[in-house]
Amino acid sequence: MRSVPMVSAQDRSLVRKSFESERMDIDAFATAFYAKFFAACPEVRPLFSRNMTRQEEKLLAILTHVAEALDDSARLDAILKQQGEKHRKREVSDAHFRGFIASFTGALSETLGPDWSTEAELAWTRFLTFVAGKMNFSA
């Protein structure tokens, strides 16, 4: 696996703050994210079931695991390595990751409203770029 620089403590703090925001409606976020992602990368839609409930649950579960591992680089690396292997089997590309990041930050912006900031967007973009690198993708 290529060397990917760790995300700064400040970025991890901003990422964590987003998760902990009183405005964070995780179900609304997941729905908004997938709507944006499928609009940005319509070719991936057939990879998913019509009923997105299970997929949204998977997304929320992995986000929880990642959030809990933010300060444990070995645990985070293991999670991301496993996710990278799963995504490569599904033929996820670098372009899909770019669409993922834009969709993810867009959905966070909508969900968090006034709790969203330029600093949070930059922190999330750096974090998700780090995630892509650990999963062996370029974002």
Side-chain angles (χ1 to χ4, degrees):
M1 186 178 291
R2 71 184 121 137
S3 175
V4 179
M6 185 60 182
V7 177
S8 73
Q10 181 179 1
D11 283 352
R12 290 192 311 272
S13 175
L14 286 166
V15 165
R16 191 174 291 107
K17 185 177 175 184
S18 298
F19 276 119
E20 295 170 354
S21 169
E22 288 181 13
R23 293 185 179 277
M24 181 51 129
D25 177 341
I26 203 74
D27 293 324
F29 164 77
T31 300
F33 162 72
Y34 280 111
K36 289 179 177 306
F37 186 50
F38 295 151
C41 301
E43 68 279 6
V44 303
R45 183 60 184 100
L47 299 175
F48 295 86
S49 167
R50 276 194 193 277
N51 181 345
M52 290 297 295
T53 302
R54 178 75 179 117
Q55 184 60 38
E56 289 174 3
E57 289 170 357
K58 287 180 183 180
L59 175 67
L60 301 180
I62 193 62
L63 288 176
T64 300
H65 291 304
V66 167
E68 291 171 351
L70 277 175
D71 294 318
D72 183 344
S73 61
R75 182 174 170 206
L76 185 58
D77 285 353
I79 292 168
L80 297 177
K81 179 180 178 189
Q82 179 187 43
Q83 288 300 308
E85 290 168 2
K86 287 180 182 179
H87 284 75
R88 274 190 300 286
K89 287 178 186 174
R90 303 216 74 181
E91 299 182 10
V92 172
S93 71
D94 291 350
H96 296 141
F97 256 99
R98 287 187 291 278
F100 176 92
I101 291 171
S103 302
F104 198 97
T105 56
L108 278 174
S109 173
E110 284 180 12
T111 304
L112 296 176
D115 283 358
W116 188 247
S117 65
T118 301
E119 293 80 15
E121 181 174 9
L122 292 171
W124 270 101
T125 299
R126 286 187 291 263
F127 176 67
L128 293 171
T129 301
F130 163 80
V131 166
K134 284 294 185 175
M135 290 174 66
N136 249 357
F137 294 95
S138 300

